[in-house]
Amino acid sequence: MRRIVGIDVARGLAVLGMMTAHVGPDDHGPVPPGGFSQLADGRPAALFVVLAGLSLGLLSGSTAPVVGTRLVQARVRILVRALLLFALGELLVLLATPVVVILPTYGLLFAIGCVALRWSRAALITAAGVVAVVGPPLGQGIAAGLEGARPTVLAEITVGHYYPAIVWTAYLLVGLAIGRSDLRSTRLRGLGALVGIGLVVLGHGGSWVALHVLGWPAALATAEPHSSTTFEVVGNIGVALLVIAACLAVADRWPRTLAPLAAVGSLALTAYSVHIVVIAALGRTVVYEATAEVWLGFLVTTVALCWLWAATVGRGPLEWVLHRVSTRAADIAPDRVPEVPVTTAP
């Protein structure tokens, strides 16, 4: 499968955005509210999951979803990747950094995505809407019922505070719907950008109305990062659509200029994992006492090393393992071709 530069650029922005959320300094400025650092809180992670869904769509046939043995192979590849991502995520959790690792939830979402590979775009968007509306109150209710109980990994990644799969599945389904679209269409890109703007206004404007006019409880009406409310999900999907549309358009015009950023996106799993390891090595102060110098060091080093690796080696080390293991696991016999009777000339 030929890589799409614009998607790699968007994924690179998501990875660097998550790094900024982890080791970037807080500026607390008035514009935008909360400062520019607040833009990197929650939104890059949501974009990361939307792009995961998009990748599942590309892996399973894009605009022509696979069927038969090809569908089985796609599901096996995705499930194997889900297990590997979950295992890698739990290893990173053991490092006990102040960072909430997204990979365990990411792995669970991959497994959930297998169910929806044959759904139409309309069904995917409808299901995403239902999850975005029903998921937040349902997740909060389940989490409240589990208070005092012994925490489990499954409960944490399903209804936990930061990346609850019961809500974040909406991002994956939207991404899968995008993956079923013609990403080369300028009309669809423009439509995606317009829908993105509308969703941003609806999410954040709707939150303001719900809080200050209707008097809804903040637990359901806020659009704060990692609140996992309907309003936050709607706003984050809007941001993701805007970023993806912009990256596709800009990358078509200046692919070489964006090559360093695209390299980060092509090595996203490796870059994300290594930055968690580096945080563990440097200590908690790199997060709790973040400085601009350290933050820029993370970004510049990540971009430089990823660009060098992509230019000289190609696929990243963790990406290679994921690809190799999943494709070998899915190496099953193809559908049998019916035998055609052979006739001889009289």
Side-chain angles (χ1 to χ4, degrees):
M1 183 187 300
R2 186 172 63 86
R3 300 197 70 89
I4 302 173
V5 176
I7 298 304
D8 278 338
V9 170
R11 192 177 290 108
L13 287 174
V15 171
L16 297 179
M18 286 189 287
M19 286 186 191
T20 299
H22 299 155
V23 300
D26 294 327
D27 58 297
H28 301 297
V31 180
F36 283 100
S37 62
Q38 193 261 354
L39 294 176
D41 198 0
R43 295 173 182 84
L47 173 61
F48 198 51
V49 175
V50 171
L51 290 168
L54 193 156
S55 297
L56 297 190
L58 296 178
L59 190 147
S60 58
S62 187
T63 55
V66 293
V67 296
T69 301
R70 295 292 188 185
L71 177 59
V72 175
Q73 289 175 322
R75 283 179 169 153
V76 170
R77 288 182 67 185
I78 293 168
L79 285 173
V80 170
R81 291 180 181 214
L83 290 171
L84 293 174
L85 288 167
F86 179 84
L88 175 60
E90 288 302 308
L91 288 175
L92 294 177
V93 169
L94 292 177
L95 296 177
T97 66
V99 174
V100 181
V101 180
I102 194 175
L103 293 185
T105 299
Y106 203 63
L108 176 60
L109 292 175
F110 262 57
I112 293 172
C114 285
V115 179
L117 293 184
R118 289 291 300 163
W119 294 3
S120 66
R121 280 191 301 175
L124 290 165
I125 293 171
T126 300
V130 171
V131 172
V133 172
V134 176
L138 181 60
Q140 290 179 21
I142 295 174
L146 293 175
E147 284 185 5
R150 184 178 180 180
T152 64
V153 173
L154 182 60
E156 180 61 30
I157 64 178
T158 303
V159 296
H161 177 66
Y162 277 91
Y163 308 116
I166 198 171
V167 176
W168 283 58
T169 299
Y171 298 131
L172 186 90
L173 294 174
V174 168
L176 189 50
I178 297 172
R180 292 283 179 253
S181 307
D182 183 5
L183 300 178
R184 297 168 297 180
S185 170
T186 55
R187 185 183 68 84
L188 280 180
R189 293 176 186 178
L191 179 62
L194 288 175
V195 171
I197 293 171
L199 291 178
V200 170
V201 172
L202 178 61
H204 293 277
S207 171
W208 188 91
V209 171
L211 284 171
H212 301 287
V213 177
L214 302 179
W216 287 16
L220 293 176
T222 184
E224 289 295 313
H226 292 295
S227 58
S228 291
T229 64
T230 299
F231 295 107
E232 193 215 358
V233 171
V234 170
N236 285 351
I237 290 173
V239 171
L241 291 176
L242 282 170
V243 171
I244 292 170
C247 288
L248 287 169
V250 175
D252 279 354
R253 296 198 62 178
W254 300 291
R256 292 186 178 179
T257 304
L258 295 176
L261 194 53
V264 178
S266 67
L267 277 78
L269 181 61
T270 297
Y272 177 87
S273 302
V274 169
H275 107 277
I276 299 292
V277 174
V278 173
I279 289 174
L282 295 178
R284 291 172 171 261
T285 56
V286 76
V287 174
Y288 291 137
E289 300 176 16
T291 64
E293 293 79 11
V294 171
W295 167 59
L296 290 174
F298 266 84
L299 298 191
V300 172
T301 303
T302 298
V303 172
L305 291 179
C306 287
W307 191 17
L308 178 63
W309 186 284
T312 57
V313 180
R315 182 176 276 125
L318 293 181
E319 287 76 12
W320 183 87
V321 172
L322 221 63
H323 172 79
R324 182 73 173 177
V325 175
S326 63
T327 51
R328 288 294 295 272
D331 187 16
I332 58 179
D335 293 325
R336 289 188 60 189
V337 179
E339 296 181 1
V340 179
V342 178
T343 58
T344 57

